[in-house]
Amino acid sequence: MSLIDKAKNFLGLDIKEDKYALVDDPIFGKVAKAKAPDKWVRSTCGYCGVGCGMYIGVKNGEAVYSKGDPLHPVNMGTLCPKGLSEHKMVRADNRIPAPLLKKNGVLTSVSWEEVFTHTSDAFKRIQAEHGKGAVAVISTGQLLTEEFYALGKFTQLGLETNNYDGNTTLCMASAVMGYKQTFGSDGPTGCYEDFSKADVILLIGANIADNHPILKLHIAKNKKETGKKPTLIVVDPRKSKTSQMADIFVPLAPRSDLALLNGLCYIIMEQGWEDEKFIKERTNGYKEFRKHIIKNYPPQEVANITGIEVKELYNLAKVYATADKAMSAWTMGVNQSSIGTDTVSAICNLALITGNLGKEGASPMSITGQCNAMGTREFGFTSSIPGYRNYASTSDRQAFADIINVPVDLVPNKRGYAYPQIIDAINRGEIKALWVVATNPLVSYPDQNSLREALKKLDILVVQDAFMSDTAEIADVVFSAATWSEKEGCYTNSERRCNYAKKAIDPLGETKSDLDIVLDFSKYFEGKHALLFKDIESPQDIFEEIKQVSKGQLCDYSGMSYELIEELGGIQWPCNDHAPKGTKRLYSEEMPCPTQDGTAKLLPLDWIPLSEMQCKGLPLILNTGRTVEQFHTRTKTGTIGILDALAPEAWVDLSPKDAAKLKVKSGDRIAISGNRGKVEDVIVKVSETVREGNIFVPFHFNEQLINNITIPEFDPKSFEPNYKQCAVQLHSEAVPEGIVYEEVEISGYLEGVKVYEEEVLVDEKVKSSS
């Protein structure tokens, strides 16, 4: 800078008018002159499952702006911090501009022909030597629906392996299985409008203020819609940001939510608050359900388990059961548990006995984690044949084969290994090749010791990603993928709304869309491209096939088109001739459940205590979760300056009493250890959000990798991991040996369970197996 410029700055004469100048924009009013877009492209956010509509500002062929779509019914023009900075992700420093192949131990840029030839040869050799199932694929919740369909179709019918699953098993599988065992099919029953229509909103294990902040807008609309504020109940062991919005906060003991739900059902039936007409006409199994609840979940026993006083249990039951319209919603606090599936069905039980299903403001609704976790559930070939068909059903298999014109013998007659089973099979030597698509297990998987041993045993590890993730760094092959804004297709959000995401700019370097990668790779397997993708040239061609596959099914897309989706701001399935603009809610009086008799099942379900509780040397319980600034393993958000500045590293929320025992204050550093590993150098945040004996750590960060400690335990029905609770110790410089409790009392299913310094008394029957 010249002396004259320095003088101008000092005197305040140069205020950098050009740098900070604004210009008028025809859509958004004032925008920065330096990056005023040449055009705006209407699209959908590619982060979480809320499904916000947005505009991408494009200047000189690059994404320079992200703005909320003011006309979109989901977000009404607003975006969270991640959405507002999403354009910065597209050309981030960790993008992979070309395919890579490991040569002499180093990942080296090569042509697509070389990388496809190398990988296809390896897959063919492995399958010839070890069988078709020796190749496995782990996918994601972040591809477009058309890409999920193509990937699953090629994996199952092209590679002919059914060892295929998504990382959605780590977040949404329990919701899927819970819905299936209660209603006969997957599919969220309600919609966001229910937040604005309900008299009571029950949030269970759902910190929407951090994880799905736009949903707060729909709750805020409620007073305008109904004329009165709804009663917001938040059930969470941690005093989260969402709990601070609550009218009633229920700080239950960790992982005791299923017992709480059963206890509320007991009180409702005891007091005669149930909806007898609804139960008789639209449910089955009530007699056995009532007998089970009355025998096993009296209020005092539930109070012992949950830590919630009997008087408060009665108050909660009354508030929920006597409301005209009660909505319940949940996220990972429920799903990520070894009893997650049954907890989901317990939430549904509570809704069913009170008649809160299929009407405005009344539904049990899961909130999805990733932008298109629903898309992979509907059409991704993981836990079901596309269109919610059953692998075990001969008629379902034949119907699907007929629609897509393939031999029925190609369609698997059972689901293959789920995600954790794939890792176990690699460790047994059964699976030799793994293709990982847009996920980063070296940060996200709970059993890091088992995972890292497994990856070392592979003959070949293929990673398909837009970003150089931790897992891509150790891959033998990297398929470099295009990302959000560089391709087109659909995402389905938490309320079954199919949204259109437009292509705004060209893909980076030599990258290809995930759809094009699958289509091109399939050509290296004799006859497979012609059989599976003969007439497929674009995402819209795939979408048309999806419409045929889904016609007449619950997740019916047959009445949709890209044009209509864009016009309406998304369409909620089923959409067909009977519902040409979509369907807001499932299972109204006119829509029976897809069960044998058309009714929902009331299921007798049991709470099971933690298999790993506080004991000598491990006196605290760890809870993990997210923060609003970061997304998953930070491959998308870690290089975005503003987000990284707001949340650059992991921290541990620590109660003031536990901080005093460790002689630490906010800003100090401690270590966290458990039975499986240790995490060093974690910054302390002394907080009243956690109770004594409990800590919280976000899972996003690879440098303070909390999944080195989380328990390798999975729901036996959904295979979803129990991320949320395990026993740990803390170590500070002042107290390196850690916290010592003389005695810790824990309420348990077995009356009077206590954990002492010397031993932990845990009945073997309550230990979940992985």
Side-chain angles (χ1 to χ4, degrees):
M1 183 182 291
S2 70
L3 289 174
I4 293 176
D5 289 333
K6 288 180 180 178
K8 283 183 176 181
N9 282 344
F10 178 75
L11 296 170
L13 298 176
D14 185 352
I15 57 171
K16 296 180 173 60
E17 286 183 86
D18 272 351
K19 182 176 180 180
Y20 298 108
L22 299 175
V23 294
D24 289 318
D25 181 87
I27 296 180
F28 291 105
K30 299 290 185 183
V31 298
K33 179 181 178 181
K35 57 177 187 177
D38 305 324
K39 63 177 180 179
W40 293 96
V41 178
R42 199 176 187 198
S43 191
T44 303
C45 183
Y47 279 119
C48 81
V50 172
C52 295
M54 64 193 305
Y55 279 89
I56 305 167
V58 179
K59 183 180 180 68
N60 299 326
E62 298 292 344
V64 296
Y65 254 118
S66 304
K67 290 279 193 179
D69 181 351
L71 300 180
H72 200 279
V74 166
N75 57 313
M76 301 157 279
T78 61
L79 291 174
C80 79
K82 293 187 291 290
L84 286 167
S85 58
E86 194 161 8
H87 60 283
K88 295 179 181 291
M89 170 267 292
V90 182
R91 294 291 187 260
D93 292 342
N94 62 338
R95 285 294 305 276
I96 308 169
L100 305 173
L101 183 62
K102 187 169 285 183
K103 295 183 176 182
N104 298 318
V106 178
L107 284 171
T108 306
S109 294
V110 295
S111 68
W112 280 106
E113 181 179 0
E114 183 175 355
V115 81
F116 282 154
T117 299
H118 176 89
T119 307
S120 60
D121 286 348
F123 282 9
K124 290 171 189 174
R125 175 188 60 78
I126 288 166
Q127 289 188 315
E129 293 175 3
H130 304 283
K132 298 288 189 181
V135 173
V137 182
I138 295 173
S139 182
T140 177
Q142 296 177 59
L143 303 187
L144 296 154
T145 301
E146 296 83 349
E147 295 172 334
F148 279 131
Y149 180 81
L151 175 62
K153 189 178 185 183
F154 173 62
T155 298
Q156 301 268 24
L157 313 183
L159 294 176
E160 298 181 41
T161 176
N162 63 349
N163 291 328
Y164 172 56
D165 201 10
N167 72 6
T168 45
T169 292
L170 306 185
C171 56
M172 296 309 301
S174 293
V176 172
M177 294 306 296
Y179 276 141
K180 283 183 177 181
Q181 68 180 12
T182 295
F183 299 114
S185 176
D186 183 21
T189 61
C191 58
Y192 297 160
E193 185 184 77
D194 290 333
F195 284 113
S196 64
K197 301 285 187 181
D199 299 311
V200 169
I201 300 169
L202 173 63
L203 296 178
I204 309 175
N207 181 17
I208 62 170
D210 265 328
N211 302 334
H212 303 90
I214 302 304
L215 294 183
K216 291 167 58 182
L217 299 177
H218 294 270
I219 296 175
K221 282 176 63 179
N222 192 300
K223 188 174 181 179
K224 297 176 184 177
E225 297 273 347
T226 64
K228 57 184 176 63
K229 184 181 180 296
T231 301
L232 180 62
I233 304 169
V234 175
V235 178
D236 202 310
R238 182 167 68 107
K239 196 171 185 182
S240 65
K241 290 180 186 176
T242 305
S243 75
Q244 294 164 42
M245 301 161 46
D247 298 290
I248 302 173
F249 173 48
V250 186
L252 80 174
R255 222 281 289 274
S256 63
D257 37 13
L258 202 162
L260 173 70
L261 293 158
N262 282 350
L264 296 180
C265 288
Y266 179 108
I267 294 167
I268 288 166
M269 293 184 293
E270 176 197 59
Q271 296 296 310
W273 293 331
E274 72 270 34
D275 187 328
E276 293 181 354
K277 182 175 184 293
F278 185 96
I279 292 169
K280 182 178 180 180
E281 295 177 357
R282 298 181 54 192
T283 72
N284 67 72
Y286 178 68
K287 183 178 179 181
E288 293 78 8
F289 170 75
R290 180 185 176 91
K291 181 180 178 181
H292 175 76
I293 295 294
I294 297 302
K295 179 182 178 182
N296 296 296
Y297 293 93
Q300 187 57 61
E301 178 65 16
V302 172
N304 292 338
I305 295 169
T306 62
I308 306 303
E309 293 181 0
V310 170
K311 181 179 179 182
E312 183 58 24
L313 292 174
Y314 274 87
N315 180 54
L316 285 171
K318 184 176 182 180
V319 169
Y320 181 91
T322 59
D324 289 336
K325 296 176 289 185
M327 179 187 187
S328 48
W330 70 92
T331 61
M332 303 311 143
V334 167
N335 293 340
Q336 289 178 334
S337 164
S338 56
I339 54 171
T341 296
D342 286 352
T343 305
V344 168
S345 287
I347 295 170
C348 297
N349 285 341
L350 181 65
L352 291 171
I353 67 168
T354 53
N356 285 297
L357 179 71
K359 62 182 183 181
E360 280 191 352
S363 62
M365 183 167 167
S366 66
I367 302 172
T368 314
Q370 298 180 68
C371 59
N372 204 21
M374 279 305 305
T376 191
R377 288 155 66 175
E378 298 156 3
F379 300 109
F381 286 83
T382 50
S383 62
S384 62
I385 300 171
Y388 288 156
R389 292 179 173 86
N390 189 342
Y391 282 118
S393 167
T394 301
S395 59
D396 279 0
R397 293 172 64 243
Q398 187 65 61
F400 178 67
D402 290 345
I403 293 168
I404 66 170
N405 195 28
V406 301
V408 70
D409 291 346
L410 269 185
V411 184
N413 59 16
K414 63 180 181 180
R415 179 183 178 176
Y417 289 146
Y419 192 159
Q421 294 175 310
I422 289 172
I423 304 305
D424 289 344
I426 296 171
N427 270 318
R428 291 195 305 269
E430 187 179 336
I431 289 173
K432 301 292 186 179
L434 181 63
W435 180 7
V436 174
V437 182
T439 187
N440 186 20
L442 279 183
V443 177
S444 61
Y445 195 71
D447 189 359
Q448 284 290 313
N449 293 326
S450 174
L451 172 75
R452 288 163 191 258
E453 283 300 312
L455 297 183
K456 292 174 186 175
K457 296 177 181 179
L458 290 167
D459 287 5
I460 184 171
L461 173 62
V462 181
V463 173
Q464 179 172 319
D465 210 319
F467 304 91
M468 185 53 76
S469 68
D470 306 72
T471 312
E473 287 178 355
I474 68 164
D476 301 295
V477 172
V478 179
F479 293 165
S480 56
T483 189
W484 172 88
S485 81
E486 298 176 334
K487 54 187 183 177
E488 73 168 341
C490 294
Y491 299 125
T492 308
N493 76 351
S494 294
E495 59 172 351
R496 295 171 285 103
R497 183 181 297 273
C498 180
N499 279 312
Y500 182 36
K502 275 188 175 179
K503 180 179 177 180
I505 62 175
D506 290 330
L508 175 69
E510 299 299 315
T511 63
K512 296 175 180 281
S513 72
D514 293 278
L515 174 59
D516 285 339
I517 289 173
V518 172
L519 296 180
D520 290 348
F521 189 41
S522 71
K523 296 172 184 175
Y524 288 75
F525 297 82
E526 187 176 355
K528 293 301 185 179
H529 184 272
L531 176 66
L532 303 176
F533 305 117
K534 180 181 177 182
D535 300 316
I536 302 299
E537 296 181 359
S538 69
Q540 191 155 356
D541 294 333
I542 293 281
F543 190 78
E544 291 302 316
E545 186 167 316
I546 284 171
K547 288 167 62 176
Q548 296 175 46
V549 166
S550 66
K551 188 171 184 178
Q553 299 297 110
L554 181 66
C555 54
D556 195 338
Y557 275 41
S558 61
M560 297 187 197
S561 67
Y562 282 176
E563 293 76 21
L564 186 61
I565 293 168
E566 186 173 19
E567 177 188 335
L568 298 179
I571 301 174
Q572 293 166 270
W573 57 255
C575 174
N576 47 38
D577 292 341
H578 300 293
K581 293 187 177 181
T583 306
K584 289 183 178 180
R585 299 168 187 87
L586 301 182
Y587 315 133
S588 62
E589 289 186 0
E590 295 77 32
M591 180 186 286
C593 298
T595 56
Q596 192 169 0
D597 64 0
T599 64
K601 300 175 184 176
L602 283 165
L603 299 169
L605 306 164
D606 270 322
W607 169 78
I608 300 173
L610 299 175
S611 64
E612 183 174 280
M613 295 192 284
Q614 293 113 312
C615 61
K616 181 180 180 180
L618 300 173
L620 300 102
I621 288 290
L622 166 69
N623 184 11
T624 69
R626 308 169 186 228
T627 183
V628 68
E629 298 87 1
Q630 299 291 355
F631 186 73
H632 286 209
T633 65
R634 300 174 73 240
T635 52
K636 286 184 174 181
T637 54
T639 61
I640 297 176
I642 187 170
L643 300 179
D644 194 54
L646 290 168
E649 62 176 307
W651 68 89
V652 54
D653 282 333
L654 195 61
S655 77
K657 290 182 179 179
D658 287 326
K661 292 185 181 78
L662 288 167
K663 300 179 182 179
V664 295
K665 60 185 184 302
S666 291
D668 289 344
R669 301 275 175 171
I670 62 172
I672 307 170
S673 66
N675 282 325
R676 290 155 295 279
K678 191 172 187 178
V679 180
E680 304 278 0
D681 199 37
V682 185
I683 196 165
V684 169
K685 187 185 290 185
V686 180
S687 173
E688 296 283 358
T689 63
V690 291
R691 71 185 84 193
E692 184 182 9
N694 290 253
I695 65 170
F696 171 83
V697 181
F699 77 89
H700 308 285
F701 302 89
N702 58 0
E703 291 183 359
Q704 299 99 8
L705 181 52
I706 201 62
N707 282 331
N708 279 327
I709 295 175
T710 49
I711 192 167
E713 188 169 290
F714 303 85
D715 184 305
K717 296 179 179 179
S718 68
F719 300 102
E720 184 151 349
N722 196 105
Y723 279 114
K724 298 297 181 183
Q725 306 91 15
C726 67
V728 296
Q729 177 63 280
L730 303 179
H731 313 269
S732 66
E733 188 174 329
V735 188
E737 70 276 11
I739 293 176
V740 176
Y741 287 103
E742 290 187 6
E743 182 179 300
V744 182
E745 293 195 11
I746 298 177
S747 300
Y749 182 63
L750 305 173
E751 186 177 355
V753 167
K754 292 184 179 181
V755 181
Y756 296 89
E757 272 197 283
E758 295 81 13
E759 60 181 340
V760 57
L761 304 176
V762 183
D763 194 316
E764 286 296 324
K765 74 180 181 180
V766 305
K767 289 188 177 180
S768 300
S769 67
S770 60

